[in-house]
Structures are given as structure tokens and as C-alpha cells.
Amino acid sequence: MPDVAPVAGAIPPAALSPFPSDSTIQRILDQRVAERRTVGIVVGTMEASGTTRVYQAGSSGQDGCGLDGSTVFEIGSITKTFTTALLADMVLRGEVALDDPVGKHLPPAVKVPERGGRQITLYDLATQSSGLPRLPANFHPADLANPYADYTADQMYAFLSGYRLERDIGAEYEYSNAGFGLLGHALARRAGTSWETAVEERLLGPLGMADTGVTLTEALRRRLAIGHDEAFRPVPLWHFSTLAGTGALRSTVNDMFKYLAANMDPGSSPLGKALAMTHTSRREAEGAQMTVGLAWHIMPAPDGASLVWHNGGTGGYRSFIGFDPVKRAGVVILTNSAIGVDDIGMHLIDRGFPVAVVRNEVEIGPRALERYIGVYQFAPGMGLTVTLEDGRLFAEVTGKAKVLLYAESETAFFIKEADSLLRFVTDGSGTATALILQQGGRDMEAPKVA
């Protein structure tokens, strides 16, 4: 049975969006572990009454560390919503304005790129429409297992001073870790402290989130779930320096309940006005079906309501937070493997979203995809041929139509037409030697034969 508890500062009663039964939620999590799509997962649900439930399955990966609402995970890009909460708080205090050019809060020698006489503002950065790329052009980590650790402010300044925007500022949504790292850096400079300290003093402290932060105490380390990559190999934590505002936070489901409650019912929180500013729809995101607030994404739910959400991911973790602002039903999911969980989160808030169909597509370069080309054999007369065409990977099972594969990670690809996942098994050079087809709760392995 799940752990059930009220939250301090409980949300007043409102129209409820009842979640699936406890047994149904537990079955979803148990299946996710059984299908080897996660090592460990903790899910928290919150109702309009303030009642919370915590579910868990799998393992933390650390001896002596249980898996429950107090287990610590990296939350990745959910951090961006804290950066925009900091932005909104500073706007309300009169310290910055949304239309401030970001250059106003950087050293005078830094030349921020402009286009058409327009400067990049804090608002452009917060709505993912600055025109800056996902990562800085000079982002070359010394350690790919900890990519953000050694990127310095001077490197960011050099990137900005030499970058030429490829599109008009504000013209198009383009998810940018570089942009959010810059936003967090600029806000910290204006606050006269580090990003970590500003978030602790202005957000985490007032919300009572003692188990959330960047630097882990020994006590928190003892409760840390070990991150795992797509092949379920343990990986190190990510450390952020200059770009902390894009993904540096660690937290627990119990602590994230406090953040969720404050966002679902801003009137109950000392940060209510600032948080409400962040999930007001402001610009189109990916098509007419989704908009973006200040970091938060807003999309229509199948039942006609709206869903406010964000996800996150680092080298060994994935996360999701989302809520229906009318029904005041919310979900937090933290997992210690590099495979997305958005489908579960959206399904729990609104069952019109199917489980294991809504997946995150990531971009994989054609050179990396070449490693998977070949013929794989499940049984005599039954094979699967993988081809690369125009930079996209396709799969064709004997006697079936060719389908496009969408990358969920570097080695895992899903098929939109069916609830199926292909995982490539690779050798030391990264070249595929076999694949595993996960479908209908079954794993079918096929060695590469040509």
C-alpha cells in the first residue's frame, strides 16, 4: 500500500481529479521495473484536499538506502522552473524587469548577440525563445560523464560575444540549456550571490524544502539513489557551475510535494504571486497544442482541462512534475535511470494520456546512428532490418511495413505506431551486436547477423 499523508499548508478542497486506484498505479510502476525501463522509481500524487500518496518500485542502487518519499534524486531541468520562480520573485521586488536585456546584468565587456536591432531579454530566455542554441558552441566537456562541471563564466561570455543568431529573437520556441544557464547566471549576478544561495534563501527556505539543493550533506548522500544510464550502468552525479540554473538541483518526492502544493494553490504560499507568474501561458511552444509560461509548459488534456508540467533528465536520472490547475491534482515522479517517465505522469493526471506511448524524442546524429545499421534475427525466417535514410533510422520486420524509429536515448528507440521499444546492445566501441524488442511486456532478443 502507498504511504498516505497530509501536507502542511494543505490545499483547500476543490474539484478533484481522482487518480487511478492504488493497485493500478503500483502495477504501472512494477511493470516499468519488470520491463527494465527503470532501476527505481518513486511517484507522488497530490489531491486538492492536500492528501498525498507515495508509491515506489525497484531499487535505489545504494546499499542501506531504501526507496521512498525521502530518497534523493537529481531533478534535472525541473530546476528551470526554480530559476523562473527566482526571476518572478526578483521582478516583484523591483530588482529586475522581464523586458530587461540580459546584457544589463552581465559585465560591460560581454557582447550579447542581437538581431534586427533587438536585444535578448530575460523574458526571451525564460520562455525558451531567445534564439540561443541548446548548448553553447564552445561547450566541450573534459568529462562526458559530468559535462557541465568545467564550463566557466569566461567561456560563456566568449560564446555570447562570438555567436551569431540564426533567427529573430522571440520568433520561435527553441529549448536551450545555454539560455537558462545564462538566465540563472544573470539573476545571481543581480542578486549579488551565487545561483545556489539565491535559490536557497529566496525559494527553498520560505517553502521549507530542507531536502532540496545543489550541495548534498552527508545525511542526504546516505539517502541518494544511484543514477544509471540506458544500459543500467551506474553513473556519477552531474555537477553544475556557471550553468547551474538549467539543471543543478537534487530533491525528494516529499520535498517536491511542498513545491507542487505552492504551485497548485499560489494563494497559500508566501511565494504565491511569483509562482503564479511562472505558469501563465505566454508564447506558443511546439505547435498550437502547447504553450510555454516562464519555463513551465502548458498543454490541453484529453478531458478538456489543461496540464502544467516540466520534466528533467541528467546522465542517470529522469523526473516529471505536473498538475491540473483547476482540479488541483498533481504528480511528482523521480527515477534513477536515464529513461523518460512523462507518459506515467501525464496519465496519472488525466487518464486520456496513455501510459508508455508519450515519450521524449532526443536528437542523435547520423554518424552515431550508423552503428545500428544491419540485420537482426529473432528466429529462422524472422528478422528485423535497420536502415539509415536521410539521417533517420528505420526498422522493417520480415513481412511488415517499414517504420520510423524515434530516439528516446542513444541506444533506445521507440515506434509511435505501437507501444514498442528497441534497445540496441553494443560492444566496447559502441557498435551494435544485438537488439532487444520490448513489446507487450515481453523482451525478444535478436543478435546481429549482417
Side-chain angles (χ1 to χ4, degrees):
M1 292 295 290
D3 299 323
V4 183
V7 170
I11 300 170
L16 294 178
S17 175
F19 295 106
S21 68
D22 293 342
S23 60
T24 297
I25 295 176
Q26 191 63 53
R27 185 166 59 251
I28 291 171
L29 305 192
D30 290 340
Q31 182 177 359
R32 190 60 57 106
V33 173
E35 292 177 347
R36 287 186 59 79
R37 295 183 61 197
T38 188
V39 174
I41 183 170
V42 182
V43 171
T45 63
M46 175 175 283
E47 300 175 4
S49 63
T51 299
T52 64
R53 286 178 169 82
V54 177
Y55 310 81
Q56 55 273 321
S59 165
S60 72
Q62 179 178 186
D63 291 341
C65 174
L67 200 63
D68 55 31
S70 64
T71 308
V72 179
F73 298 80
E74 290 187 332
I75 66 171
S77 286
I78 292 176
T79 299
K80 291 178 172 67
T81 68
F82 287 83
T83 295
T84 55
L86 176 62
L87 167 62
D89 178 68
M90 295 178 73
V91 167
L92 293 174
R93 295 181 189 221
E95 296 170 329
V96 301
L98 288 178
D99 59 1
D100 277 355
V102 66
K104 178 179 178 180
H105 305 294
L106 300 176
V110 180
K111 185 180 182 298
V112 179
E114 302 179 10
R115 185 177 169 105
R118 178 134 149 43
Q119 300 181 67
I120 296 173
T121 66
L122 302 182
Y123 180 82
D124 297 320
L125 295 170
T127 56
Q128 298 281 21
S129 52
S130 65
L132 294 175
R134 176 175 282 268
L135 289 170
N138 61 351
F139 188 81
H140 304 297
D143 181 3
L144 291 176
N146 192 12
Y148 289 86
D150 60 351
Y151 192 75
T152 67
D154 286 342
Q155 286 177 299
M156 182 173 67
Y157 296 159
F159 158 68
L160 291 170
S161 297
Y163 186 73
R164 182 176 179 179
L165 295 171
E166 297 180 357
R167 61 177 59 87
D168 290 344
I169 298 166
E172 187 175 327
Y173 172 94
E174 182 178 4
Y175 195 87
S176 175
N177 286 334
F180 257 85
L182 172 60
L183 176 61
H185 179 78
L187 295 176
R189 280 183 52 85
R190 176 64 183 86
T193 185
S194 68
W195 179 90
E196 179 179 6
T197 298
V199 168
E200 286 177 350
E201 293 179 349
R202 298 182 182 227
L203 303 177
L204 304 180
L207 292 173
M209 298 178 68
D211 285 348
T212 302
V214 177
T215 304
L216 294 179
T217 63
E218 272 307 307
L220 290 177
R221 283 191 175 275
R222 286 193 292 271
R223 291 192 268 128
L224 175 68
I226 303 302
H228 295 76
D229 65 15
E230 298 91 341
F232 282 24
R233 295 170 295 209
V235 294
L237 294 172
W238 278 10
H239 297 91
F240 291 75
S241 52
T242 305
L243 303 181
T246 204
L249 288 175
R250 289 95 184 220
S251 189
T252 68
V253 163
N254 286 342
D255 238 23
M256 291 299 288
F257 276 146
K258 300 170 186 176
Y259 188 56
L260 187 60
N263 276 280
M264 288 201 295
D265 184 32
S268 68
S269 167
L271 294 168
K273 287 185 178 180
L275 295 176
M277 283 178 62
T278 64
H279 31 80
T280 297
S281 179
R282 296 176 184 274
R283 282 180 168 163
E284 280 193 5
E286 295 177 336
Q289 293 303 304
M290 187 164 71
T291 61
V292 63
L294 302 181
W296 290 95
H297 296 97
I298 303 102
M299 62 188 295
D303 68 356
S306 64
L307 173 64
V308 181
W309 66 282
H310 209 289
N311 58 13
T314 58
Y317 301 84
R318 290 295 183 270
S319 57
F320 175 90
I321 183 171
F323 61 94
D324 182 325
V326 175
K327 297 175 182 176
R328 294 180 183 171
V331 170
V332 177
I333 305 179
L334 304 179
T335 179
N336 61 337
S337 14
I339 300 171
V341 291
D342 295 7
D343 58 319
I344 297 176
M346 292 179 177
H347 175 74
L348 294 184
I349 298 171
D350 187 310
R351 277 172 270 182
F353 289 105
V355 175
V357 173
V358 180
R359 298 182 185 272
N360 293 324
E361 183 183 3
V362 299
E363 187 175 344
I364 305 294
R367 183 170 296 179
L369 296 177
E370 290 175 358
R371 299 176 298 181
Y372 306 131
I373 296 172
V375 179
Y376 303 78
Q377 189 172 52
F378 294 103
M382 182 182 178
L384 183 149
T385 302
V386 176
T387 56
L388 184 63
E389 302 172 23
D390 297 324
R392 303 302 300 270
L393 213 57
F394 290 83
E396 185 175 0
V397 176
T398 304
K400 303 288 186 179
K402 183 186 299 184
V403 294
L404 178 62
L405 300 180
Y406 298 85
E408 184 180 66
S409 69
E410 191 167 343
T411 57
F413 296 76
F414 61 95
I415 302 168
K416 288 188 176 180
E417 292 86 350
D419 183 17
S420 303
L421 193 72
L422 285 179
R423 293 191 180 281
F424 289 96
V425 179
T426 60
D427 59 19
S429 69
T431 300
T433 59
L435 64 77
I436 298 172
L437 173 63
Q438 295 181 338
Q439 189 174 50
R442 297 176 57 207
D443 285 2
M444 295 175 282
E445 186 166 356
K448 187 175 180 180
V449 296

